Amino acid sequence: MESLASGDPERIGRYRLIGRLGSGGMGRVYFGRSAAGRPVAVKRIHAHMAADPAFRERFAREVAAARQVSGAFTAPVIDADTEGEIPWLVTSYVPSLPLDTAVRQHGPLPESTVRVLAVGLAEALTEIHRCGLIHRDLKPGNVLLAEDGPRVIDFGIARASEGTAATQSVIGTPGFMSPQQVNGEPLTARSDMFSLGAVLVYAAAGVGPFGEGAMPTMVMRIMNNPPDLSSVPPSLHGIVAACLAKEENVRPDPGQLLDTIGDVPASGSWLPPAVMQGVQHQTRQINAALAQTTDASVATAVAPGAGDEAQTFAFEASPQPDPPRPTQAMPPTAQADTEVAGGDPAYAHLYRGRPAQPQHPADTPQRTDEREHAERERRRREEERAHRRRLDAERNATRQAHRRARKASQPSLWTFAAVFPLLIIPLVQIPLGVAAAYGWAWFSASDMYWGTPWYYVGVFAWPEGLLHATMLGYFLFNNLIGLSWLFQSLRSSFVVGVVLALLVILTTNAALVHFGFW
């Protein structure tokens, strides 16, 4: 947890902020406390996103859906303001270690812990999907290892599903996105199951199923490579492999995963001793941070309904007497200030010799509000530009990854050039044709063939035997090579490869027709 920066608010709503927990694509997350001293996590939305009416509508819908998710498996939503100038969301703070931090500090988790993690995540997704949500960013950083079990957090990019699928842009974490999410296809809840399988591999191996790398590299691996499950315990290998299937209709749902794994032991700690010590240390730090915020000398009250601009009033322990009323002998303060400022010293002793300072127009509340508004607008425009640059970079990276993936699967022209002499010189065709002729003659003469037996005169019968075997070899070899090239080129949209493959097939069969093979 980091300290609050100079531009951070001291309060959001009725919640006092203590430190920063992190920042994401939607907003910044703070650690704070409620009026009763309970620890909370407060997410404040970025200003440029708050200015988007469509985002506000979606955010309000997601908050309403997230309130229905049980706190037994997640960090429950306890408060929110979706109508204020800057929307915010408050969830209960769970003393814990994020899965990525635990693995990075203490290494991969044992099999017993991974089994409990799998069951806990499946229960959490069951509850999330029941409320019509798709998480869309289930990753190790959004999985908390608490003393009583794993919790799923951060519904920041979850979208309430309408109908059977939620259409989305390509948003997520490389290495833990499903192929459908990478392609920007409409998502169903099975996309979260792919992410669950990737999280389990990370917990068991210390690295995701597709390794590490830049986003284009990860996208290509997700689309084309099988996952690396070598470190997954054998008892979980089958269910994890099913979760990581490329086709979403093959993946299990959370209920099927729970039925496959079954009950896990409920006695004793589910975490390794080193990780449990880290969780307990985190709990002590949170309690210490909460204790430091207590001030017995000042009672604080917050004006209700003030949102992010909540006003704080401080009442001293000793009440102050009411100021005396102005009389003829003591003019009102404004009048006395004017007279002293004008040079009349008649009442100077009442102000301890301090002359009144004229209020500069720049110091008026109106001018101050204008400067603050201009500064907020400047920051909002900068954040909007930064957000657009991030989106453009992600789109470009995705397009480049798709192009590289297609290019990687394209047949090479150099390979074609190396194979081309073999298509003309009968180094392969003669032995292949002789073997095929003898094989077909043997098969047609056996009991497995019901037709008329075919007789081959033999390779040494000149010229019929050798010529027939050579043409048969050209037919088999050249057509197989051409068809292989044709399918690879069609899959990768390689126009030059398609043209070359068709030329090989047409030329070979035209020559065979000319020499009387057909």
Side-chain angles (χ1 to χ4, degrees), residues 241-259:
C243 290
L244 292 172
K246 306 293 185 186
E247 300 79 15
E248 66 174 4
N249 58 348
V250 180
R251 300 173 202 147
D253 57 32
Q256 291 171 328
L257 188 147
L258 290 172
D259 294 338

Side-chain angles (χ1 to χ4, degrees), residues 254-506:
Q256 291 171 328
L257 188 147
L258 290 172
D259 294 338
T260 301
I261 297 179
D263 296 339
V264 294
S267 59
S269 172
W270 72 287
L271 293 172
V275 179
M276 180 58 72
Q277 290 177 4
V279 174
Q280 294 170 349
H281 177 70
Q282 180 77 4
T283 303
R284 290 192 295 270
Q285 285 186 325
I286 294 304
N287 293 335
L290 292 174
Q292 291 176 359
T293 61
T294 304
D295 188 354
S297 63
V298 178
T300 304
V302 179
D308 288 348
E309 305 296 332
Q311 181 181 2
T312 302
F313 302 94
F315 302 94
E316 300 296 334
S318 301
Q320 300 294 328
D322 294 335
R325 296 181 180 179
T327 62
Q328 292 296 330
M330 186 179 69
T333 302
Q335 179 183 349
D337 285 344
T338 304
E339 292 176 359
V340 173
D344 189 351
Y347 300 101
H349 66 283
L350 297 175
Y351 299 93
R352 303 181 185 274
R354 176 178 55 84
Q357 300 294 331
Q359 192 175 30
H360 193 275
D363 297 328
T364 61
Q366 181 178 0
R367 294 295 298 273
T368 302
D369 291 343
E370 290 177 355
R371 287 199 304 272
E372 292 179 353
H373 178 72
E375 179 66 17
R376 285 197 298 269
E377 284 296 312
R378 184 186 66 81
R379 292 182 179 179
R380 182 183 64 81
R381 288 192 294 269
E382 289 180 355
E383 291 179 347
E384 285 180 348
R385 287 193 293 268
H387 181 65
R388 286 195 295 268
R389 286 195 295 268
R390 286 196 300 269
L391 290 180
D392 291 340
E394 289 181 358
R395 295 191 188 100
N396 291 335
T398 303
R399 286 194 293 267
Q400 291 177 5
H402 286 305
R403 285 197 297 268
R404 291 177 182 176
R406 288 195 299 268
K407 188 174 181 180
S409 60
Q410 287 179 358
S412 171
L413 289 177
W414 293 108
T415 305
F416 180 83
V419 175
F420 184 74
L422 296 178
L423 300 177
I424 300 176
I425 304 174
L427 297 177
V428 178
Q429 288 85 341
I430 291 177
L432 178 64
V434 170
Y438 277 115
W440 180 248
W442 172 83
F443 177 76
S444 63
S446 67
D447 296 337
M448 295 181 290
Y449 185 71
W450 294 351
T452 303
W454 179 77
Y455 177 73
Y456 177 52
V457 297
V459 65
F460 297 106
W462 179 264
E464 292 83 1
L466 182 61
L467 182 62
H468 184 85
T470 303
M471 289 191 292
L472 180 60
Y474 271 107
F475 171 76
L476 294 175
F477 183 76
N478 289 25
N479 282 321
L480 287 176
I481 295 296
L483 289 174
S484 174
W485 263 74
L486 180 62
F487 290 145
Q488 292 183 39
S489 301
L490 289 174
R491 284 183 58 189
S492 57
S493 303
F494 187 37
V495 178
V496 176
V498 172
V499 172
L500 291 176
L502 290 176
L503 284 175
V504 169
I505 295 173
L506 293 176

Side-chain angles (χ1 to χ4, degrees), residues 212-228:
E212 298 177 349
M215 184 173 182
T217 302
M218 300 304 296
V219 168
M220 185 176 66
R221 292 174 183 172
I222 290 173
M223 297 301 299
N224 299 303
N225 295 0
D228 182 4

